[in-house]
Amino acid sequence: MFYGIIIYMYFFDNKKHNKPHVHAEYGEHTAVLSIEGGEVLDGRLPNKKLKMVQAWIAIHEDELMANWKLAVAGKDLFRIDPLR
């Protein structure tokens, strides 16, 4: 969580969007973003918050991809630092 944005990565969630992704929630807004490139796959966030999440994804892409592999294998994830 950072700046009121909650980031989720669901275990075994590799079927619906067909690519590695994270879920972001801010208030009543939710979006699904690809890890590779930060593309919005579903939903929406306010523009300022979207840019923050995309920056965070870019900074932590390697860590997110490692966690993605763990998540789809049903293993525990590593904590990733928030955007500061």
Side-chain angles (χ1 to χ4, degrees), residues 12-68:
F12 307 115
D13 188 12
N14 62 342
K15 303 287 187 240
K16 183 176 179 184
H17 302 290
N18 297 317
K19 57 172 59 175
H21 62 276
V22 295
H23 297 251
E25 183 178 298
Y26 177 73
E28 69 276 0
H29 304 282
T30 60
V32 178
L33 294 93
S34 67
I35 293 172
E36 297 171 330
E39 170 192 6
V40 177
L41 303 173
D42 192 21
R44 70 170 297 281
L45 293 173
N47 197 44
K48 183 176 178 182
K49 300 300 181 182
L50 174 61
K51 294 204 180 304
M52 288 179 165
V53 174
Q54 289 171 324
W56 179 80
I57 288 171
I59 292 166
H60 297 287
E61 185 174 343
D62 291 340
E63 295 164 276
L64 288 164
M65 286 304 297
N67 267 353
W68 176 262

Side-chain angles (χ1 to χ4, degrees), residues 1-2 56 60 63 79-84:
M1 179 172 163
F2 53 88
W56 179 80
H60 297 287
E63 295 164 276
R79 186 180 185 287
I80 299 175
D81 289 334
L83 188 66
R84 297 176 202 261

